[in-house]
């Protein structure tokens, strides 16, 4: 049984990594296409926004589907539709249609991502869920590394349309992989409990807001991300203007962050006990803040290279800690909505921080922005110490299944989160 589970998890992780690679290929190809068309910067930046906004704005409202529909079936249906949308993306050159199709792909991601999180424990075994999430993150990061490089080769040797068709093919591969998968994750209940759709949406948000540890963990990470996401904008100014690095140096430093994510997911994340996850979240936040501040304060290429590896490691550990805590503390019947709601909050924080990065760079430059990002991340992480570090072992291991009834009462606290 263990061997079959490991093989199934490997297939799923491989398909997920391939799909992540396809996403990166599409973003790079479309960016180059719009640049060659002479489109302004705001149109190019809308590529990323179009894919993320549905996860933030739509994800929590369609999330009841994740709990009500068998996970494998939902993933098969949505990825098949995404493959068709991706083919359309390859066939059009109209900017408005392109943005619209990207939004549709984002809606699909808002369903597939939480459904995949629900399926992982079925593949790895509930007691090995942390290793399962880490395996998934490893392959996703590997796809993110390979995608941009492959996209550059494809666009240079052929054209952007072929690259976009390859992205469509990766969705099709994911569909086939899940069709062949023998593991199922049926809904724990029908997910309705006699309530309307919006009440079910509020349950997903409320189960997070009603748990002090989860509320603090997700709130802390969201606040930290607002600061660290400034890196998305400030990085190029810091590397080119403060470090005076070449284009190749810029590429090395951007890759260093992703390599750090890969190292953490391969070497560390799957080996961390559940009771340590709140402490890991704080420690990773402090590591992220310190690394950003030091890299900006000591503007040397080697220091920045090491610091960016550490920020990548912290990034991976933060995301996996949240997934493990949600898996442990949220009742199964509402867990899909909890994953979707936390994803919306964290992606919303990322968009907010990225938006603030532009004005911050204009006022303080690349290095100054990274110093502010580092100090802000460090302060936010330290403020959470009383709850996340001093939490008792019993509180950490308590799964909190007071059931859906407790979730209903907690939904009133959403505004406090």
């Amino acid at each position: 049984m263990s061997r079959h589970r490991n093989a199934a998890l490997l297939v799923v992780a491989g398909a997920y990594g391939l799909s992540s690679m396809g996403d990166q290929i599409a973003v790079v190809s479309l960016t180059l296409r719009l640049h060659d068309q002479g489109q302004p910067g705001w149109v190019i930046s809308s590529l990323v926004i179009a894919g993320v906004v549905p996860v933030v704005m739509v994800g929590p409202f369609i999330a009841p589907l994740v709990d009500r529909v068998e996970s494998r079936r939902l993933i098969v249906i949505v990825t098949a539709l995404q493959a068709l949308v991706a083919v359309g993306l390859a066939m059009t050159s109209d900017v408005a249609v392109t943005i619209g199709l990207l939004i549709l792909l984002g809606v699909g991601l808002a369903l597939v991502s939480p459904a995949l999180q629900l399926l992982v424990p079925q593949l790895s075994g509930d007691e090995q869920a942390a290793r399962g999430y880490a395996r998934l993150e490893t392959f996703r990061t590997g796809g993110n590394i390979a995608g941009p490089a492959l996209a550059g080769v494809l666009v240079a040797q052929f054209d952007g349309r072929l690259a976009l068709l390859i992205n469509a093919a990766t969705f099709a591969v994911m569909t086939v992989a899940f069709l062949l998968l023998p593991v199922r994750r049926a809904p724990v209940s029908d997910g309705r409990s006699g309530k309307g759709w919006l009440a079910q949406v509020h349950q997903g948000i409320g189960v997070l807001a009603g748990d002090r540890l989860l509320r603090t963990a997700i709130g802390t990470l969201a606040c930290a991300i607002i600061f660290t996401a400034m890196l998305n904008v400030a990085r190029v100014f810091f590397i080119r203007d403060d470090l005076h690095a070449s284009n190749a140096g810029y590429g090395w430093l951007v890759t260093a962050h992703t390599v750090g994510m890969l190292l953490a997911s391969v070497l560390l994340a799957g080996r961390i006990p559940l009771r340590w996850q709140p402490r890991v979240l704080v420690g990773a936040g402090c590591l992220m803040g310190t690394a950003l501040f030091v890299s900006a304060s000591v503007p040397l290429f080697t220091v920045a290279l090491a610091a960016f590896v550490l920020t990548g490691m912290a990034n991976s550990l933060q995301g996996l800690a949240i997934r493990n805590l949600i898996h442990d503390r949220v009742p199964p019947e509402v867990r899909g909505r909890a994953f979707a709601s936390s994803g919306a909050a964290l992606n919303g924080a990322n968009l907010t921080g990225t938006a603030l990065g532009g004005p911050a760079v204009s006022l303080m430059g690349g290095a100054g922005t990274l110093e502010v990002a580092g100090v802000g991340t460090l302060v936010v992480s330290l403020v959470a110490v009383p709850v996340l570090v001093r939490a008792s072992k019993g509180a950490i291991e308590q799964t909190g299944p007071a059931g859906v009834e407790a979730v209903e009462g907690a939904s009133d606290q959403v505004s406090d989160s």
Side-chain angles (χ1 to χ4, degrees):
M1 177 65 71
S2 177
R3 181 179 299 177
H4 291 311
R5 277 180 168 177
N6 287 334
L9 179 60
L10 187 62
V11 169
V12 169
Y16 185 50
L18 194 65
S19 180
S20 296
M21 183 187 73
D23 293 341
Q24 294 297 319
I25 289 174
V27 169
V28 172
S29 301
L30 290 171
T31 299
L32 293 173
R33 175 201 284 180
L34 293 179
H35 178 270
D36 292 344
Q37 291 177 353
Q39 298 292 341
W42 68 267
V43 172
I44 295 176
S45 66
S46 67
L47 291 177
V48 177
I49 295 173
V52 176
V53 163
V55 177
V56 178
M57 304 298 294
V58 181
F61 294 97
I62 60 177
L65 279 175
V66 181
D67 286 316
R68 288 169 53 168
V69 179
E70 192 275 312
S71 299
R72 170 188 160 276
R73 180 186 304 169
L74 181 63
I75 293 172
V76 166
I77 293 172
V78 174
T79 54
L81 293 174
Q82 285 179 304
L84 295 177
V85 172
V87 170
L89 200 61
M91 295 297 105
T92 185
S93 58
D94 183 84
V95 173
V97 174
T98 296
I99 298 300
L101 292 175
L102 286 173
I103 291 173
L104 289 178
L105 289 179
V107 172
L109 177 63
L111 289 170
V112 169
S113 183
L116 197 54
Q117 308 307 320
L118 292 182
L119 201 57
V120 165
Q122 306 298 317
L123 297 165
S124 62
D126 198 66
E127 69 285 351
Q128 295 292 325
R131 289 183 180 274
Y133 290 131
R135 177 68 62 86
L136 217 64
E137 180 69 11
T138 297
F139 277 81
R140 185 188 74 86
T141 305
N144 288 341
I145 293 174
L150 184 57
V153 173
L154 288 171
V155 173
Q157 296 297 323
F158 303 98
D159 61 15
R161 178 167 295 180
L162 176 62
L164 292 171
L165 287 174
I166 289 176
N167 177 45
T170 64
F171 284 117
V173 168
M174 198 167 177
T175 302
V176 173
F178 279 92
L179 275 173
L180 300 176
L181 193 69
V183 179
R184 305 287 187 274
R185 186 268 174 190
V188 176
S189 67
D190 67 1
R192 303 185 190 191
S193 303
K195 295 188 175 297
W197 192 271
L198 286 180
Q200 295 176 52
V201 172
H202 289 157
Q203 287 175 351
I205 301 170
V207 73
L208 302 178
D211 185 303
R212 187 184 182 212
L213 181 58
L214 288 178
R215 183 172 67 243
T216 304
I218 295 171
T220 297
L221 183 54
C223 291
I225 287 174
I226 291 175
F227 287 102
T228 58
M230 293 180 182
L231 178 65
N232 297 335
V233 179
R235 182 167 53 192
V236 64
F237 295 94
F238 170 66
I239 294 172
R240 298 293 282 132
D241 299 340
D242 298 296
L243 295 182
H244 306 291
S246 63
N247 290 335
Y250 174 79
W252 277 105
L253 289 174
V254 171
T255 303
H257 180 85
T258 313
V259 168
M261 294 180 65
L262 187 62
L263 289 174
S265 60
V266 171
L267 301 177
L268 298 175
R271 296 177 170 84
I272 299 173
L274 177 64
R275 66 182 182 274
W276 291 0
Q277 294 295 344
R279 295 171 173 83
V280 167
L281 190 61
V282 170
C286 292
L287 176 62
M288 174 76 79
T290 302
L292 287 173
F293 183 80
V294 170
S295 66
S297 302
V298 186
L300 298 174
F301 185 85
T302 52
V303 173
L305 188 67
F308 281 22
V309 170
L310 293 177
T311 62
M313 295 179 70
N315 192 334
S316 181
L317 292 173
Q318 288 170 322
L320 288 168
I322 292 294
R323 291 180 202 172
N324 287 315
L325 289 172
I326 290 175
H327 171 76
D328 179 65
R329 299 181 67 84
V330 173
E333 60 268 26
V334 74
R335 195 175 288 157
R337 281 165 279 173
F339 277 124
S341 297
S342 67
L346 299 179
N347 279 287
N350 186 64
L351 287 177
T352 301
T354 302
L356 292 174
V361 168
S362 298
L363 291 173
M364 298 174 287
T369 300
L370 290 191
E371 287 179 338
V372 169
V375 171
T377 302
L378 187 59
V379 170
V380 166
S381 301
L382 291 175
V383 167
V385 165
V387 174
L388 298 184
V389 172
R390 298 177 184 175
S392 67
K393 180 179 179 181
I396 295 171
E397 294 181 344
Q398 180 183 353
T399 55
V404 177
E405 291 80 7
V407 174
E408 295 165 7
S411 65
D412 296 332
Q413 304 177 39
V414 171
S415 60
D416 296 333
S417 66

